[in-house]
Structure formats: structure tokens, C-alpha cells
Amino acid sequence: MIAEVGLFALILALFVSVVQATVPLLGAARGDSTWMSLDRPSAFASFCLVAVAFGALMWAHITSDFSVLNVVLNSHTDKPLLYKITGVWGSHEGSMMLWTLILVLYGLAVSVFGRDLPPGLRARALAVQGMIAVGFLLYILLTSNPFVRVDPAPLNGNGLNPLLQDPGLAFHPPFLYLGYVGFSMAFSFAIAALIEGRVDAAWARWVRPWTLVAWCALTLGVAMGMWWSYYTLGWGGYWAWDPVENASLMPWLAGTALLHSSIVAEKRDTMKSWTIFLAIITFSLSLLGTFLVRSGVLTSVHSFASDPARGIFILTLLAVVTGSSLALFAFRAPSLKGGGLFTPVSREGGLLFNNVVLSTAAGTVLLGTLYPLFADALNLGKVSVGPPYFNIVMVPLMVPLIVLMAVGPFLSWKRGDLKTALSRMKFTFVVTVVAVIGVWIGAGVSSRSLWASLGFGLAAWLFFGSLSEWAGRIGLFKRSLGDALHRARHLPRSTYGMTISHMGLAIMLLGITGSQAWKTEYLNVMRPGDTAAIAGYTVRFIDVEDNLKGPNYVATRASFVVTRDGRYVTDLTPERRMYENPQQPLSTVAIHTNFVSDLYLVLGDPNGSGGYVVHIFHNPLVPWLFLGAIMLVLGGLVSLTDRHHRVGAPLRRLGAKISAPAMKLAAATAMKSEVPRTAVPDRRAASRGWTYLVPLLAFAVLAGFFIWRIHLIAEGDTPNLIPSVMVNKSAPQFNLPPLLAGQPGFKTADLRGKVTLVNFFASWCVPCREEHPYLSEVAKAGIVLVGINYKDRAEDAKAWLAEQGDPYKTVAVDAHGQTGLNFGVYGVPESYLIDKNGVIRFKQTGPLTPDIIKNQLIPLAEKLGK
């Protein structure tokens, strides 16, 4: 009965959202205050109904109601209560429920905290929110109903992926969605302003708090995802440039640009068209991330679904939301007045440069994520884009941005003086030079330490530049201490927020630099009583406990004692767990931190003679990376508490409207609706108008490409959406050296006479880590399993296999990726099933799953073996 209540509440929420999307909008167009007044109660009703539906689904999970299919597929009676709750959003259907709940929560927040907004603007903004809610509610009801019943109900469920049974994953998605969906408010205000025909400084002030809330939440969500990847996956890293990691980074970059652009729009009444455009693009990138995760277009360890029906529905929603908003932007933007003028050397100029670089970075990530698909579609050849590409292209973009971040706040609005600004940064310059020289000499003169010293210098430049700018504001060392403290107490909180966030980014940069430059590893087979030395620590293997019973797993736990110079430091107890439902192994990492560096220990496979593969990392300054992320969020929250965001915006100037006639508005009638007449753009604006169609045309091309790709998977023409011209053709000619000493190499002739699965993998590949435990099932089925290590360092690959286990008959090295390109590899992992005659019969792009192995791979291999 509870499930039916939830479903009924969703249906009612759909009808209420239709009312919210239409009646207030029509009221604003007609100037009818009664119709407009329905915006707030309809937003409240939508939230209540969606909350009831979400609560019903959560109750079904908590009570293990296995008559509900979603509970059967994602829960189990032995699962701890916390993960029964968080398992609600661990599935595709539940995560969409969470998305919709947060969407209507933002609508409720605007209705509660937006009482002082002009009724016309608020009605239009909430109507746009209602339209988005209608789209997502239809998506849930038509393609992703979480309340589908099972008859007869099974006695137990399938359980939740062990990777998701973690506190980090319990809270990471809600914050991520608070960021993704939060940008819908900036989007709704932007569309409302375009419909209304008014974009001015007051509008920018109303938009900024909502953008700041979303940015803080998304920053925290991304940082939590990095932390989860670091301490859960056991690879010693925190960012792998996975496609879905990229999908979260792109709206963060665009949202950061939007946050800074809105400052210029508010302070100087300029860059208004650009700010509107960024609001549209930021939310569109959030929707694009949702599409990528749920359509199967790209493969990722984070993917929820690959159903073409769901993919085409989300793509339709994306096309309607983004396409219509870009069309409206192209129609309205040419009529927007430019506002205040400024020179390139000014604070506006610095913020514009910030926007250009951040937008370019977002576009670069988007290109790197989707380029292999474009190249394949246009027959430009097979390419693979991985961490090397992103690391190479992002550094040149970020360096000038960080340099300017320290200088920009010293520049004046409208017209700045670069020479004066730099003269106020003499102390910062001296500290930067000392940091570069000190780190280079202290770390040992080498090319590696040189690059590290430059990273430290860049961080010092930003950190002390931000500190110097704050000191200059309060007159520190130029006024009496009492006067300086008095000025410090009366500085706007937004100023403190900016300083804290910029300093946090500097600390993050230190963490990234240190972890990349001075990371050390130890990998060996250890037995109880053995010791290992790493980075001045001595790690002694004490003993192993087997068959330890957990809530829903059985574990092997090892005990290690860490000392330094003979003094006790800590105990480390990593585990190898075998979850009972679903049957899946998982290693838990033991980490000791002194807040300057981490000692990171992973227990690998037993060697069969009393020893275990032990992988130890010493990761310098990684804790500073996460400390810097916390400071970023803290800075945003401090800015959010600024009185500037809590008081009403100044009265709008009639001249700020883009429509030609003046409206009959005054302070006494400010609460009445504004009804703009059609704007008549000047000739220069009309001649420039075609340029505003470029984003719409680019989006149309992208949408058409996605439609074509989804059509391919719907037709069943391709495995996992990426075709291979090599299927049913002979394997390419190659002759690769072995990875491990004592093993033979691997060449084309070795494929003859037996059915072989060739698996391309890499140590830096996060989806490979999820796939790896299932590869042993391939070998058990009598299929010859061969691994090809793709574009990887040999020492990293050896360490990875020692830690994860080696299921391969042999492992070959494709260091430069040429053999992978000849096979048609898009990205790792990829697998090719080859028959006895050396002909490729099957290609799997992305991780092999138990279902694919059991229902596709093994039956085909058995058929080919006859």
C-alpha cells in the first residue's frame, strides 16, 4: 500500500507541476496578480507530494519490502540500515527520485525566501522550475517507475554493489545533486529575465545567492567523490579523468565562471548577455552529465543505466530545455544593452579573462570526453583519450588563470593600473621566488623537483597574494593595529569568502603538486614477521585473521605496526572482504595521516604459501588537497552569509529594460507585474544577431549526434554503443613484449587454434578495477584470457596486478597504444573475443559484467569452440 501511495503522490505532483508551469506564467503575461500568486502554493504542494513519494520509496527499502522491484534489485535483509537508506539513491530510479526531490526543494526555497522578489520575475522563475519538474516526473513515471511490484515477491533481494556500501557514497550523491540541480535556479532566473525582457544589476544580485549555494554543494560533492575514490578503490589516487568525473567537473567550471560573471553584472551592469548564456550552459552541462550516466553513450564505473529508451527521453528533455533556452537567448540577447565600459586592464577585464579560461577549460574537458566518439563517427580513426591528454591541456590553461587570480583583486573597477597592482605585490613576489628556489634545492636539483618547485611557487603566489590583498584592505602595517582590526571587523563577508576560497585553491594546488611529484610506493610479497621500509617509516607485518564475519561479508584482516626511528606510530589493519550478496570481493584500505602526508596500505592476494601481496603508498600533501577543498566550500558559505545577500536588491531602473517603451512602474507599484512590449533592436544589434545562433546550431549538431548513437544501440548494431570495424575481420598484425619476466610475448600467430579473449587494461583506469574481479570467470569457462597493458607504466601495471590478482595467461605491453589503435580501442577497458582462426567475433567496450560474461561471452565462446 505504501508503494501505491508513493506512486499516486508522484502522479499528483505531475499535475501540480503542470499548474505551476502554466498558470503563474500566463498570469505574469496578462498582469493578473491572482494567477501569479499560485506560484508559491504550487511550489509548496509539489515539494510535499514528491517528498511523500520519496519517503514511501525509502520506507520500502528500510522495511525490505521485496514486493517492490527496486528493493529486490538493490537491497538485502543483511544490509546495514545506513546502506538500506542510502541504497534508495544507489539505483537509477532512486537517484532520479532524489534529483526531482532536490529540484522541487529549490522551488520551495525560492517561494519561501523570495518574498521580496518582483512577483512577475518570481512567477516566471518558478514556472520554469515547474516545467523542468514536469519533464523529470514524466521521465520517472514513463521510464523509471521505482514502485513497480513483483509477484510473487522473492524471499530476499540482490543486494547493493559493495562499492556503494560506504559512508562516502552515502552522502556524495546528495551533495552532488544539490549542486547539479541547484544551477537550475540560475537557469530559471535567466529564462524568466529573458521572457520578461529585463536583465539588470538587481537581477544579478538575486541570481548570485542561488548560484553560490549550488556551487558550494557541487564543490563539496566533487571533493567527496575524490575522497571516496582515494580511500575506497585502493589505487592510491583521487582523480582518474573518468567520463562521469568529467561530467561533474564541467558544470563546476562553468558554474565558477557564472559566479564571477554575475559579480560584474551586478557591480558594473555589464556582461549581461554572457551571464545569461553561462546560466543556460551551466545547467545544460548538468543535464548532459545526467544523460551521459544514464544513456550508455559513455562507459564509466559510475554509470547507472544504458537503456536507449531512457537515453532518448533524457536527450529529448535536454533538447527541449537547452534548445528552447538557446533559441530564446538568440532572439533576446541582441537587444541587451552592453552596460558599463571597461579597459582590458581592470577588475572587469580580469574577471572576463577568468570566464574565458574557465569556459575554455570546460569545453576542453567536453571535447576530450566526447572526441573519441566524434572521431569514430566521422571515420577519422580510433583514438583513446585518457589522463595524459587532460593533464597536458589543463595545466597551460590553469597556470595563467591562477597567476591572474592573485593580481585581479588589486585592480580597480573600470580602469586599472597593472604597474600599481604589481607594486603592491612585492612581498608576494619575494615569497614566491623563495618558495621556488627553496623547494628546488631542498627536494634535490632535478627536472621533477623543478616542476614541483614551480607548482609550489604558483601556490605561494596565489596564497600570499590573496593574503596581501586582504591586508591591504584593512591597512595592516600601515595603520594602527586597533584601526586595522576595526576595519577587518567591518569588511564585507563576501570579501572574506573570496580570500578564503582563493587561499583554499592554493592549498589544493600544493596537495596536487606534492602528491604527483613525491609519491613513493612499496610492492612485495610479505609474510607475518616481515618488514618494509618506505619514506622513513618501518612497516611490520604482524599477523592475519581469516573468516571474520561482518554484517554482510566475510573478511581477511591483516595487522601491521608502523614505527619511525624506533618509535611507535600507528597500527594499520587493511581487509579483503568477500560480500555475500552480491558475491563480490572488495579490498578496504588502511590509511594513517599526520595531515602532511598519508601512509596508505592495501592488502592484495595471497601467494599460496603464507604470504600476501602488500602495496604501500606514501602520499605527500594529499591531506592538503582535501583541506583546500573544504576551504573552497567554507569561503562560499561565508560569502553566502554576507548581508548583501540578505537585504533586498535596489529598485530596478526603468532604463534597464530591453523593451523600448517605458512601463508604468514606480516604487509604490513595484509589486505589480511588468509587461514588456516587443523590443525593436537597432541595426548594429540586428547585424550581430546571427552570432547568437552559433550556440544553438552547435547544440543541434551535438543532439543529432547523440540521437544517432542511441539509435545504434537500440538497433543492437553495436556492443555498448561503440562499433568496431574489426568485428568479423582478422585480428591486426602485432608482436608485443611481455610485461612480466619469464612470460612469453604475445603476437598475432598466438591467436590461432584456440578461442581467446584479449582484454585491454591500464592501472590508471578506474572501470578496469570494477571489471577485474570478474575476469577469473572467463578463465574458468575455458577461454584463453590474455591481457594487453595499454599506455601504462610497466611498474604501475605490475603493482596493479600484484594488488588485484593476475587472472591472465600472459600479459603483453602496448606502451604507445599502436596495437590498441589497430584493434579499434576507444578506451580501456575493452575486450575482444577471437575465434580459432584469429577472427574477431565480439567486442565489449567498457567493463565486462557478470551478466555479459554469462549471457553473451561464454555462450558465444562455446559456439566458436565447436
Side-chain angles (χ1 to χ4, degrees):
M1 183 63 186
I2 295 297
E4 284 68 32
V5 170
L7 180 60
F8 185 63
L10 276 182
I11 296 171
L12 284 180
L14 173 63
F15 285 106
V16 172
S17 295
V18 170
V19 172
Q20 180 183 336
T22 54
V23 176
L25 189 63
L26 292 173
R30 298 174 53 187
D32 190 323
S33 59
T34 302
W35 285 28
M36 284 192 292
S37 65
L38 282 176
D39 59 352
R40 294 176 60 223
S42 59
F44 177 77
S46 293
F47 170 77
C48 292
L49 290 168
V50 175
V52 167
F54 189 82
L57 182 60
M58 182 174 290
W59 181 256
H61 275 261
I62 292 174
T63 59
S64 296
D65 183 356
F66 295 121
S67 67
V68 177
L69 179 62
N70 186 263
V71 181
V72 174
L73 296 178
N74 300 282
S75 190
H76 191 273
T77 53
D78 292 337
K79 195 167 67 171
L81 177 61
L82 173 64
Y83 303 131
K84 286 185 178 181
I85 295 173
T86 60
V88 174
W89 52 83
S91 65
H92 162 72
E93 294 81 5
S95 67
M96 293 312 303
M97 286 286 293
L98 178 63
W99 175 288
T100 308
L101 177 67
I102 293 174
L103 179 69
V104 295
L105 175 63
Y106 273 106
L108 175 67
V110 170
S111 71
V112 172
F113 298 108
R115 296 174 183 271
D116 295 332
L117 288 171
L121 178 66
R122 188 186 64 210
R124 292 183 175 99
L126 286 177
V128 174
Q129 284 289 105
M131 294 177 190
I132 300 170
V134 168
F136 277 98
L137 286 168
L138 281 173
Y139 175 69
I140 292 173
L141 290 170
L142 297 180
T143 71
S144 307
N145 183 0
F147 297 108
V148 173
R149 290 284 192 180
V150 178
D151 187 21
L155 295 177
N156 221 322
N158 297 343
L160 183 67
N161 187 333
L163 284 172
L164 304 181
Q165 297 185 41
D166 180 86
L169 258 290
F171 303 105
H172 159 62
F175 282 106
L176 203 62
Y177 287 4
L178 279 168
Y180 279 158
V181 184
F183 286 122
S184 68
M185 272 326 312
F187 171 84
S188 296
F189 274 112
I191 300 305
L194 288 174
I195 294 173
E196 181 181 291
R198 185 190 296 269
V199 181
D200 53 18
W203 172 85
R205 179 180 289 191
W206 289 320
V207 167
R208 273 185 66 196
W210 301 104
T211 305
L212 196 53
V213 169
W215 182 85
C216 289
L218 185 57
T219 303
L220 185 58
V222 172
M224 292 178 72
M226 293 168 64
W227 170 239
W228 170 82
S229 177
Y230 178 65
Y231 79 83
T232 299
L233 297 183
W235 63 303
Y238 43 81
W239 189 267
W241 294 107
D242 179 87
V244 179
E245 290 177 336
N246 297 346
S248 67
L249 180 63
M250 289 185 288
W252 185 87
L253 291 168
T256 305
L258 172 62
L259 195 59
H260 289 82
S261 175
S262 63
I263 296 173
V264 182
E266 178 188 349
K267 300 286 187 182
R268 296 283 299 131
D269 196 29
T270 189
M271 290 174 58
K272 294 180 289 189
S273 294
W274 176 247
T275 303
I276 290 283
F277 178 70
L278 280 178
I280 294 171
I281 291 300
T282 301
F283 182 57
S284 297
L285 287 173
S286 297
L287 291 178
L288 178 63
T290 304
F291 169 72
L292 294 178
V293 175
R294 299 164 201 280
S295 65
V297 168
L298 289 175
T299 302
S300 167
V301 70
H302 306 280
S303 295
F304 275 104
S306 57
D307 180 7
R310 291 170 173 173
I312 200 67
F313 197 108
I314 295 183
L315 183 59
T316 302
L317 181 61
L318 176 64
V320 170
V321 172
T322 304
S324 60
S325 59
L326 288 176
L328 179 62
F329 175 76
F331 176 72
R332 287 290 201 182
S335 301
L336 291 176
K337 295 181 180 179
L341 301 176
F342 57 89
T343 62
V345 181
S346 62
R347 189 170 297 188
E348 298 98 317
L351 290 171
L352 177 60
F353 181 80
N354 156 291
N355 272 222
V356 170
V357 172
L358 288 171
S359 301
T360 303
T364 300
V365 175
L366 178 63
L367 177 64
T369 304
L370 299 181
Y371 179 74
L373 297 177
F374 295 143
D376 180 51
L378 299 175
N379 294 318
L380 299 177
K382 299 289 182 176
V383 296
S384 177
V385 177
Y389 159 80
F390 292 105
N391 293 335
I392 288 172
V393 299
M394 292 299 284
V395 170
L397 286 172
M398 293 298 106
V399 168
L401 175 64
I402 293 173
V403 169
L404 191 61
M405 282 177 65
V407 180
F410 286 96
L411 297 173
S412 302
W413 291 103
K414 192 173 182 180
R415 183 184 299 274
D417 188 335
L418 184 60
K419 184 177 180 180
T420 301
L422 292 176
S423 69
R424 296 168 62 187
M425 300 185 69
K426 293 178 181 177
F427 173 74
T428 302
F429 180 77
V430 171
V431 173
T432 301
V433 172
V434 170
V436 171
I437 296 174
V439 172
W440 190 32
I441 296 175
V445 178
S446 66
S447 59
R448 178 181 291 268
S449 62
L450 175 61
W451 288 112
S453 66
L454 293 176
F456 268 64
L458 196 62
W461 173 260
L462 178 57
F463 186 92
F464 287 98
S466 301
L467 202 59
S468 298
E469 194 273 338
W470 172 80
R473 283 178 182 266
I474 67 173
L476 192 64
F477 306 124
K478 294 183 179 180
R479 301 172 180 270
S480 67
L481 181 60
D483 190 17
L485 291 175
H486 175 76
R487 292 168 65 92
R489 285 195 298 269
H490 290 83
L491 273 182
R493 292 183 185 176
S494 58
T495 300
Y496 279 104
M498 176 193 71
T499 303
I500 293 170
S501 291
H502 285 188
M503 291 169 67
L505 184 60
I507 293 174
M508 283 189 71
L509 182 57
L510 287 176
I512 294 171
T513 302
S515 63
Q516 295 299 311
W518 300 308
K519 177 180 180 178
T520 55
E521 300 179 42
Y522 171 90
L523 175 68
N524 212 334
V525 174
M526 296 181 66
R527 295 174 176 80
D530 289 350
T531 60
I534 181 171
Y537 292 99
T538 299
V539 181
R540 180 178 293 276
F541 193 171
I542 303 302
D543 60 20
V544 175
E545 297 179 82
D546 290 319
N547 298 318
L548 297 175
K549 182 68 176 174
N552 57 341
Y553 60 83
V554 176
T556 297
R557 179 185 299 157
S559 298
F560 295 82
V561 173
V562 181
T563 58
R564 190 181 185 95
D565 298 327
R567 294 192 300 272
Y568 170 81
V569 176
T570 190
D571 293 320
L572 294 176
T573 55
E575 295 182 356
R576 288 186 63 81
R577 297 175 178 175
M578 175 56 73
Y579 280 80
E580 298 169 352
N581 200 319
Q583 285 279 336
Q584 185 172 327
L586 182 69
S587 294
T588 63
V589 179
I591 302 176
H592 168 71
T593 183
N594 57 12
F595 301 103
V596 176
S597 63
D598 285 347
L599 192 63
Y600 183 108
L601 195 150
V602 184
L603 183 68
D605 286 334
N607 69 345
S609 59
Y612 288 82
V613 176
V614 177
H615 201 175
I616 308 173
F617 298 85
H618 181 254
N619 295 327
L621 299 182
V622 165
W624 291 20
L625 170 67
F626 299 107
L627 173 63
I630 292 172
M631 289 184 64
L632 273 177
V633 178
L634 178 62
L637 294 176
V638 170
S639 294
L640 197 60
T641 63
D642 194 315
R643 182 176 179 272
H644 179 78
H645 296 309
R646 301 197 304 271
V647 298
L651 287 175
R652 286 178 144 177
R653 300 189 305 273
L654 295 178
K657 280 197 68 176
I658 65 173
S659 54
M663 303 302 301
K664 297 181 179 181
L665 285 175
T669 60
M671 297 302 291
K672 295 183 179 180
S673 67
E674 307 94 355
V675 185
R677 298 181 187 175
T678 303
V680 182
D682 58 35
R683 291 183 179 179
R684 286 190 304 170
S687 66
R688 299 195 310 265
W690 69 270
T691 60
Y692 293 96
L693 290 172
V694 173
L696 179 61
L697 295 175
F699 173 76
V701 172
L702 183 64
F705 171 76
F706 283 142
I707 290 172
W708 175 67
R709 301 301 271 181
I710 290 179
H711 171 72
L712 290 180
I713 193 172
E715 293 295 320
D717 291 341
T718 65
N720 206 27
L721 216 60
I722 302 178
S724 173
V725 296
M726 297 300 295
V727 172
N728 296 324
K729 295 183 179 179
S730 296
Q733 294 296 315
F734 60 89
N735 188 355
L736 298 175
L739 173 69
L740 305 174
Q743 283 190 353
F746 188 57
K747 56 186 181 295
T748 306
D750 296 331
L751 296 170
R752 298 282 178 173
K754 49 190 173 293
V755 177
T756 305
L757 183 73
V758 177
N759 176 252
F760 285 84
F761 74 96
S763 65
W764 44 261
C765 163
V766 175
C768 297
R769 188 171 296 270
E770 179 169 300
E771 171 192 69
H772 200 76
Y774 306 123
L775 293 179
S776 59
E777 299 300 319
V778 176
K780 290 178 183 177
I783 304 171
V784 176
L785 179 63
V786 176
I788 296 183
N789 187 235
Y790 182 72
K791 289 186 178 181
D792 204 357
R793 295 193 309 169
E795 56 270 29
D796 291 344
K798 292 175 183 177
W800 194 82
L801 287 173
E803 174 193 329
Q804 300 293 319
D806 184 0
Y808 303 106
K809 180 179 179 181
T810 187
V811 181
V813 176
D814 186 17
H816 302 291
Q818 186 57 52
T819 298
L821 289 176
N822 293 338
F823 265 89
V825 169
Y826 154 67
V828 288
E830 284 197 8
S831 301
Y832 296 81
L833 188 66
I834 302 172
D835 67 16
K836 295 178 180 181
N837 298 315
V839 177
I840 298 173
R841 297 301 186 183
F842 174 85
K843 173 187 175 182
Q844 168 64 22
T845 300
L848 289 166
T849 65
D851 182 65
I852 293 172
I853 293 172
K854 178 180 177 181
N855 298 322
Q856 298 183 52
L857 197 62
I858 293 177
L860 179 57
E862 290 175 348
K863 180 179 178 181
L864 295 174
K866 295 179 180 179

